[in-house]
Amino acid sequence: MMGVIASTYIVLILAMMLADMSYTSPGHILEALQSEEIQYAIKLSLITCTVTMILSVLVAIPLGYFMARFEFRFKKFIDAVLDIPIVLPPLVIGLSLLILFQTAPGQFIESHMRITYTVYSVVIAQFMVACAFAVRTMYVTFIQINNRQEQVALTLGCNQSQSFFYILLPQAKNGILTAASLAWARALGEFGPILIFSGATRMRTEVLPTTVFLEMSVGNIEAAVAVSLIMIVSGFAVLMIVRLFGDKNTVL
């Protein structure tokens, strides 16, 4: 009975994918790939997701290490703060970013570099959500690594930085790969904050989820489904990389 209940969810996921594939055809996918707007969306998605992934990993490694290795006041408070982007509705994150850049510090930044409704805002919107998953992954990774080798290295004359880079970081490589993959995949599917903070302007801030929204808004369901399938294949490929090369103990 429990097996039937559990398998129902898997069947539902596969049924949705099969429904998408039955609604479109290779011709629709080829036509979508030849569209100038969709080519721009694919290119912008790849660039922004990659930048977001790099930024997320650069932030997640030191932050995850700090949270896993040190005890300090308000640790639980900061731990809860780090999970806010995970639990908040994406639209709220986009709205909060938009309001942030209406404040005095935000206006000061805007006066020197336009952020809102530009490609920069796409990266920021993706980063705000994707980084939370990367931080949580690196936290779990570091907390599962025994610090005995680090302590031995310190007694042999290594300083804290050498212990981190030469002893701890190599042991965390699978976790880093998992964090990077999750950040990239999460950024690819982000839509709510981008819609609010970056807008949905063709050939400017248009990423793949935006394309699905724009095509549906004009009734071009076939193109929207074709782009959706492209995203499903891309996301599935990244998740398979995580399963094949990542440490399963660090996968959330």
Side-chain angles (χ1 to χ4, degrees), residues 137-213:
T137 302
M138 291 312 304
Y139 171 75
V140 174
T141 298
F142 287 130
I143 210 166
Q144 289 180 343
I145 297 175
N146 194 315
N147 65 351
R148 180 178 173 79
Q149 294 186 32
E150 295 171 70
Q151 297 300 325
V152 172
L154 291 173
T155 60
L156 293 176
C158 289
N159 57 37
Q160 196 74 38
S161 297
Q162 290 172 325
S163 167
F164 175 79
F165 285 107
Y166 297 122
I167 304 297
L168 181 60
L169 215 51
Q171 296 182 72
K173 62 181 180 182
N174 288 338
I176 295 172
L177 175 63
T178 303
S181 304
L182 282 176
W184 194 91
R186 184 65 201 183
L188 179 68
E190 212 51 60
F191 172 65
I194 295 175
L195 178 66
I196 301 295
F197 190 45
S198 311
T201 309
R202 286 281 196 195
M203 306 290 285
R204 288 190 61 187
T205 57
E206 181 184 3
V207 289
L208 286 174
T210 313
T211 302
V212 175
F213 170 74

Side-chain angles (χ1 to χ4, degrees), residues 94-149:
L95 180 61
S96 300
L97 283 171
L98 196 60
I99 293 173
L100 174 64
F101 278 85
Q102 298 303 312
T103 62
Q107 288 293 307
F108 176 78
I109 296 172
E110 289 270 33
S111 66
H112 291 81
M113 177 186 290
R114 180 71 177 172
I115 301 294
T116 312
Y117 301 118
T118 67
V119 172
Y120 300 120
S121 64
V122 175
V123 174
I124 293 173
Q126 292 175 337
F127 172 78
M128 285 305 298
V129 179
C131 187
F133 289 89
V135 170
R136 188 54 58 190
T137 302
M138 291 312 304
Y139 171 75
V140 174
T141 298
F142 287 130
I143 210 166
Q144 289 180 343
I145 297 175
N146 194 315
N147 65 351
R148 180 178 173 79
Q149 294 186 32

Side-chain angles (χ1 to χ4, degrees), residues 1-246:
M1 182 62 181
M2 291 183 64
V4 173
I5 295 174
S7 61
T8 301
Y9 182 61
I10 299 173
V11 170
L12 183 59
I13 294 173
L14 294 175
M16 288 193 304
M17 295 172 65
L18 288 173
D20 284 345
M21 286 189 280
S22 67
Y23 199 87
T24 187
S25 66
H28 287 133
I29 296 176
L30 188 62
E31 184 180 349
L33 290 173
Q34 291 175 339
S35 166
E36 189 177 356
E37 290 85 359
I38 294 177
Q39 286 180 5
Y40 178 88
I42 292 174
K43 181 180 176 182
L44 185 60
S45 293
L46 291 176
I47 293 173
T48 56
C49 290
T50 303
V51 173
T52 298
M53 177 191 71
I54 294 171
L55 293 176
S56 297
V57 171
L58 288 176
V59 171
I61 289 176
L63 194 50
Y65 172 74
F66 185 72
M67 294 296 294
R69 285 290 190 264
F70 299 98
E71 295 295 330
F72 53 91
R73 292 183 67 185
F74 307 117
K75 181 176 179 178
K76 289 184 178 178
F77 172 77
I78 294 177
D79 194 38
V81 168
L82 290 172
D83 282 341
I84 286 177
I86 296 176
V87 299
L88 276 182
L91 286 174
V92 174
I93 294 177
L95 180 61
S96 300
L97 283 171
L98 196 60
I99 293 173
L100 174 64
F101 278 85
Q102 298 303 312
T103 62
Q107 288 293 307
F108 176 78
I109 296 172
E110 289 270 33
S111 66
H112 291 81
M113 177 186 290
R114 180 71 177 172
I115 301 294
T116 312
Y117 301 118
T118 67
V119 172
Y120 300 120
S121 64
V122 175
V123 174
I124 293 173
Q126 292 175 337
F127 172 78
M128 285 305 298
V129 179
C131 187
F133 289 89
V135 170
R136 188 54 58 190
T137 302
M138 291 312 304
Y139 171 75
V140 174
T141 298
F142 287 130
I143 210 166
Q144 289 180 343
I145 297 175
N146 194 315
N147 65 351
R148 180 178 173 79
Q149 294 186 32
E150 295 171 70
Q151 297 300 325
V152 172
L154 291 173
T155 60
L156 293 176
C158 289
N159 57 37
Q160 196 74 38
S161 297
Q162 290 172 325
S163 167
F164 175 79
F165 285 107
Y166 297 122
I167 304 297
L168 181 60
L169 215 51
Q171 296 182 72
K173 62 181 180 182
N174 288 338
I176 295 172
L177 175 63
T178 303
S181 304
L182 282 176
W184 194 91
R186 184 65 201 183
L188 179 68
E190 212 51 60
F191 172 65
I194 295 175
L195 178 66
I196 301 295
F197 190 45
S198 311
T201 309
R202 286 281 196 195
M203 306 290 285
R204 288 190 61 187
T205 57
E206 181 184 3
V207 289
L208 286 174
T210 313
T211 302
V212 175
F213 170 74
L214 290 173
E215 295 296 345
M216 288 187 66
S217 65
V218 297
N220 193 358
I221 306 298
E222 290 80 7
V225 174
V227 175
S228 300
L229 284 175
I230 293 171
M231 292 180 61
I232 290 172
V233 171
S234 303
F236 185 72
V238 172
L239 292 175
M240 281 305 297
I241 291 173
V242 174
R243 299 299 186 274
L244 291 173
F245 298 103

